[in-house]
Amino acid sequence: MGLPGVPCAHTLVRMGGVGGEGDPTRADRLRAAFLGSFLTVAELPPGMCRIRPPGITAPDPPAPQPGRGPAGHAVHQDHAVWLGSPDAELYRLDDARWLLPSPRRAAGLARELLGPQAIPPSAGGAAPGPARLQVVRGTPTAGYLQVIQLGPVVARLQAVPGEDSALPDGLDANLGRLVAQRIAELAGAAAGLRRPGWHPARWIRRPGG
């Protein structure tokens, strides 16, 4: 029995994609964009071999207090591990990513990853746009920790030189530029795939009923 004085029926239309709340197409596209943000062999020094790819079962990237704090609320998190020869300039590279629900949580995770001894953000560093590039470095033979945040995305690189070797000059800046570009693309994809909130305008009036 219809409501008096209401000539039209109303239908609520889901706006979150073809499948609504559990739309696998949207989730798959976001996961593909996330995995596409990792470095590839063509972008690393010759001789590097990926021994741990992202996307395997139970990803567990290195982070302070695993499962707690901002990292514990990640939409996606994963990491890759690359190895070179034991005496290469770059022996090991750990490449980790987090996609957080908000830029605020991403900033909190970036602070955790850098720790209390982190240096201030680089002024006009290698990362383009609003990305913040920070590098923690000891000596050329000790390796470095690099954290880049752009919007809701955080990337963490840890490079270790080989035995009796030192990391090549400019490696941190070159990798930082590449990763900043990748996470900018991921942040853009995440924004484009974000499900819009409900609004009364999404009620469609249909004649009849």
Side-chain angles (χ1 to χ4, degrees), residues 28 38 42 48 98 111 116 168 183 186 198 204:
D28 290 346
F38 285 85
M48 299 296 291
W98 289 263
R111 288 192 296 269
I183 66 173
L186 174 57
W198 181 86
I204 297 178

Side-chain angles (χ1 to χ4, degrees), residues 45 89-90 137 139-141 144 166-175 177:
E89 290 182 315
L90 176 60
R137 190 170 219 167
T139 66
T141 59
Y144 66 77
L167 294 172
D169 292 339
L171 178 68
D172 55 342
N174 291 334
L175 293 183
R177 268 191 294 269

Side-chain angles (χ1 to χ4, degrees), residues 64-78:
Q65 299 180 337
R68 300 174 59 187
H73 300 285
V75 176
H76 288 297
Q77 60 181 44
D78 215 327

Side-chain angles (χ1 to χ4, degrees), residues 1-132:
M1 183 175 180
L3 294 174
V6 180
C8 301
H10 296 73
T11 302
L12 178 62
V13 178
R14 292 179 183 269
M15 300 299 290
V18 176
E21 185 65 26
D23 179 21
T25 301
R26 176 185 176 278
D28 290 346
R29 290 169 62 191
L30 185 58
R31 180 64 174 165
F34 177 78
L35 294 177
S37 70
F38 285 85
L39 294 171
T40 65
V41 65
E43 297 163 329
L44 297 176
M48 299 296 291
C49 177
R50 191 171 62 183
I51 64 168
R52 200 277 184 193
I56 66 175
T57 304
D60 184 24
Q65 299 180 337
R68 300 174 59 187
H73 300 285
V75 176
H76 288 297
Q77 60 181 44
D78 215 327
H79 74 291
V81 179
W82 296 83
L83 284 184
S85 60
D87 59 348
E89 290 182 315
L90 176 60
Y91 166 62
R92 174 168 176 148
L93 179 70
D94 289 81
D95 183 16
R97 297 281 185 282
W98 289 263
L99 175 60
L100 281 296
S102 69
R104 180 180 60 82
R105 288 184 176 177
L109 174 60
R111 288 192 296 269
E112 285 188 16
L113 293 172
L114 288 166
Q117 302 303 317
I119 63 175
S122 302
R132 297 186 303 172

